[in-house]
Amino acid sequence: MPTVHIEDVHRHEGETVTLRGWLYNRRSSGKLHFLQVRDGSGVIQAVMFKGDVDEAMFDAARRLPQESSIIVTGTVKRDERSPLGYELGIQTLEVLQEAEEYPISPKEHGVAFLMENRHLWMRSRRQHAILRIRAEIIAATRDFLDGEGYLLVDAPIFTPAACEGTTTLFETQYFSRMAYLTQSGQLYNEAAAMAFGRVYCFGPTFRAEKSKTRRHLTEFWMVEPEAAFLELDGIMDLAERMVRSIVERVLERRQSELRLLERDIAPLERCTEPFPRVDYADAVAQLQSLGSDIQYGDDFGADDETILTQQYDTPILVHRYPRDIKAFYMKGDPERPDRALCVDMLAPEGYGEIIGGGQREDDYQTLHDAIAAHDLPLEAFSWYLDLRRYGSVPHGGFGMGIERAVAWICGLHHVRETIPFPRMLDRIIP
Ligand code: 4AD
Ligand code: MG
């Protein structure tokens, strides 16, 4: 008889199959045990009748602890009432390992407890739904960029210099010198864009964020497209098309996961509409009218992003922030020299920034002076400056934080559930 995965049992109606997995839950009533069996691909109800199996097996099933590893053989039956549409009539049950008393029971647990048991918590249905949507978002992003002609060119993780400010650098010993864990692949992406035209990198990035917020991790994954001859309007167009295509793909393929998470999908469905493009100055004025004490020139605080994006159903593109609050590599707006040709995409419903990017300074001397003005070590950036010495062109791109996108699309309050093993100020275990 075939050994199958639970997600494939629909192809075996009426047949006897073997499933290998874990006991997820159990309910017994006299002559029947209803065993919820999970194997990672799904959960199926397996029914054991006292009359169908020997007594020892029936008794063993009554006492079997949650998460014991098991092999069950039985007949696949159609069952309209179950979420899967099928159940299994058990013929034999083999116990591979009888689990110790499982710490995570179906009752409510506090977040701290669940985070400490993340290695076990990830077995639950809700975490499955989130991590499957995460995988779908990543696959959709890559397919989108591959389809637009962007080439995957990975950036290094050990780096000699800061990209996104020196205050959040993780330092590490690199043989006889110091190195930093990358904050962004952007600078390397720029080199790759001058080589290949359109590129992207996708990998883990690190920031020593010393504040505890619901939006910050110290290790997160970023996808960063970068292209030669791409200017601010084109960057906004690309970001909008990319996010729309990700949302459409999740709506198309991950309905059941969104349902399990009780995500209201109406706002996601509205992502087919154009994303409003809001000048920074207009966003500040709007925030002031909503009661924020933000002043022109200030960066948005977390609360500002929340109240601003609660006003919208689709993501918005806020562009041309003040240069003073942005990174050294940003190109100034020729029409308003105090502003940068940059854009952030803020997700609606209070989520806030999911994308940051813009046009890069492409003039050698201006960039050289900006590096010096930011007190960055020029020698570490000499290779980067070379890109402005050998065929400099207007160019730009952006980075999308995967966990922020997952949190918004799944409708989660905190990014800690969006990554298999979150790294935060106070958490590096498990
Ligand atoms: O806005 P950021 O800092 O932009 C950059 O790093 C650019 N160099 C990217 C580029 O243009 N190629 O970060 C980009 C995105 C943010 O919009 C956010 O989604 C995410 O990365 N992000 C974080 N996500 C989780 N935890 C953190 N601590 C994050 N910091 C940034
Ligand atoms: Mg940013």
Side-chain angles (χ1 to χ4, degrees):
M1 73 215 71
T3 299
V4 303
H5 294 290
I6 292 170
E7 66 184 355
D8 298 325
V9 292
H10 63 274
R11 295 199 207 123
H12 298 275
E13 191 176 341
E15 289 174 38
T16 299
V17 300
T18 297
L19 304 175
R20 297 179 296 191
W22 297 264
L23 180 64
Y24 194 52
N25 210 342
R26 184 205 32 238
R27 192 161 55 79
S28 294
S29 72
K31 295 187 164 54
L32 288 172
H33 295 313
F34 299 96
L35 309 181
Q36 302 291 324
V37 179
R38 61 165 199 92
D39 72 350
S41 78
V43 180
I44 191 168
Q45 172 159 282
V47 184
M48 186 185 275
F49 280 99
K50 193 169 185 175
D52 285 353
V53 297
D54 66 55
E55 210 166 312
M57 194 184 287
F58 193 78
D59 277 351
R62 185 198 313 284
R63 288 188 311 270
L64 199 59
Q66 188 187 343
E67 288 303 322
S68 294
S69 42
I70 52 180
I71 300 180
V72 281
T73 298
T75 318
V76 177
K77 298 176 186 161
R78 187 106 189 96
D79 176 33
E80 299 298 342
R81 290 156 306 173
S82 85
L84 189 73
Y86 295 88
E87 64 172 30
L88 194 78
I90 298 183
Q91 291 160 9
T92 62
L93 166 74
E94 183 191 336
V95 178
L96 287 180
Q97 192 248 335
E98 191 172 310
E100 295 177 26
E101 197 186 334
Y102 194 61
I104 304 178
S105 59
K107 71 166 202 264
E108 291 278 306
H109 293 284
V111 170
F113 176 82
L114 291 170
M115 292 305 297
E116 273 155 37
N117 287 285
R118 182 67 177 167
H119 53 298
L120 302 176
W121 187 25
M122 66 196 308
R123 300 181 185 192
S124 76
R125 276 192 218 248
R126 187 182 149 80
Q127 299 308 313
H128 274 209
I130 296 168
L131 294 180
R132 281 180 198 284
I133 291 174
R134 176 189 170 97
E136 195 68 56
I137 289 171
I138 292 171
T141 305
R142 299 181 79 125
D143 287 349
F144 171 82
L145 290 170
D146 292 341
E148 293 258 331
Y150 282 69
L151 181 74
L152 177 71
V153 182
D154 289 312
I157 288 179
F158 285 127
T159 59
C163 177
E164 295 299 327
T166 50
T167 56
T168 62
L169 281 175
F170 274 115
E171 245 185 38
T172 175
Q173 190 72 38
Y174 191 77
F175 303 111
S176 59
R177 56 165 294 180
M178 296 308 286
Y180 307 109
L181 298 182
T182 186
Q183 298 169 306
S184 159
Q186 180 197 316
L187 308 184
Y188 298 93
N189 251 353
E190 291 181 56
M194 297 306 126
F196 294 97
R198 286 164 295 168
V199 298
Y200 69 102
C201 63
F202 175 53
T205 49
F206 306 86
R207 299 202 191 166
E209 304 279 0
K210 287 172 202 85
S211 54
K212 290 190 202 175
T213 80
R214 65 193 187 92
R215 298 188 171 111
H216 288 91
L217 297 163
T218 55
E219 177 178 313
F220 60 97
W221 287 65
M222 199 173 3
V223 60
E224 300 179 78
E226 186 79 24
F229 306 104
L230 190 63
E231 303 192 32
L232 187 58
D233 285 338
I235 293 165
M236 292 198 265
D237 293 343
L238 182 72
E240 181 171 343
R241 283 204 307 283
M242 184 172 104
V243 168
R244 182 169 299 125
S245 103
I246 294 167
V247 169
E248 282 171 356
R249 166 105 162 235
V250 172
L251 285 172
E252 195 183 296
R253 302 200 189 174
R254 294 294 170 190
Q255 281 288 339
S256 68
E257 285 82 0
L258 291 169
R259 228 178 355 259
L260 191 140
L261 296 170
E262 296 174 358
R263 174 64 161 120
D264 172 12
I265 60 168
L268 299 178
E269 285 170 338
R270 251 168 255 140
C271 286
T272 48
E273 295 163 20
F275 298 178
R277 297 183 182 190
V278 188
D279 185 281
Y280 163 83
D282 297 333
V284 168
Q286 195 181 350
L287 276 166
Q288 286 168 341
S289 76
L290 290 164
S292 167
D293 51 17
I294 191 172
Q295 298 300 314
Y296 181 95
D298 294 348
D299 203 354
F300 296 170
D303 292 344
D304 292 321
E305 286 191 7
T306 304
I307 60 171
L308 182 63
T309 62
Q310 277 165 350
Q311 313 303 309
Y312 294 91
D313 288 331
T314 67
I316 59 173
L317 292 153
V318 180
H319 55 85
R320 298 181 169 82
Y321 286 78
R323 295 188 70 171
D324 286 351
I325 57 170
K326 289 290 179 184
F328 72 93
Y329 53 70
M330 297 225 175
K331 187 173 171 67
D333 181 352
E335 282 163 33
R336 275 160 296 185
D338 70 314
R339 307 270 215 101
L341 292 175
C342 66
V343 60
D344 280 1
M345 185 186 290
L346 310 184
E349 306 168 79
Y351 278 92
E353 182 187 342
I354 55 171
I355 281 180
Q359 235 178 290
R360 324 304 185 187
E361 181 52 67
D362 46 48
D363 174 65
Y364 177 88
Q365 197 57 49
T366 313
L367 182 60
H368 174 281
D369 296 349
I371 292 170
H374 279 80
D375 280 331
L376 294 166
L378 273 163
E379 57 296 349
F381 289 93
S382 72
W383 68 269
Y384 183 62
L385 281 162
D386 274 356
L387 306 174
R388 279 70 177 170
R389 297 170 67 213
Y390 304 107
S392 189
V393 300
H395 66 283
F398 60 83
M400 181 180 81
I402 294 294
E403 292 74 18
R404 300 260 185 102
V406 176
W408 162 53
I409 291 173
C410 290
L412 307 176
H413 177 69
H414 199 294
V415 289
R416 67 188 158 220
E417 283 181 76
T418 62
I419 183 163
F421 294 98
R423 297 288 171 252
M424 293 175 291
L425 182 60
D426 55 358
R427 179 155 306 281
I428 196 169
I429 300 172

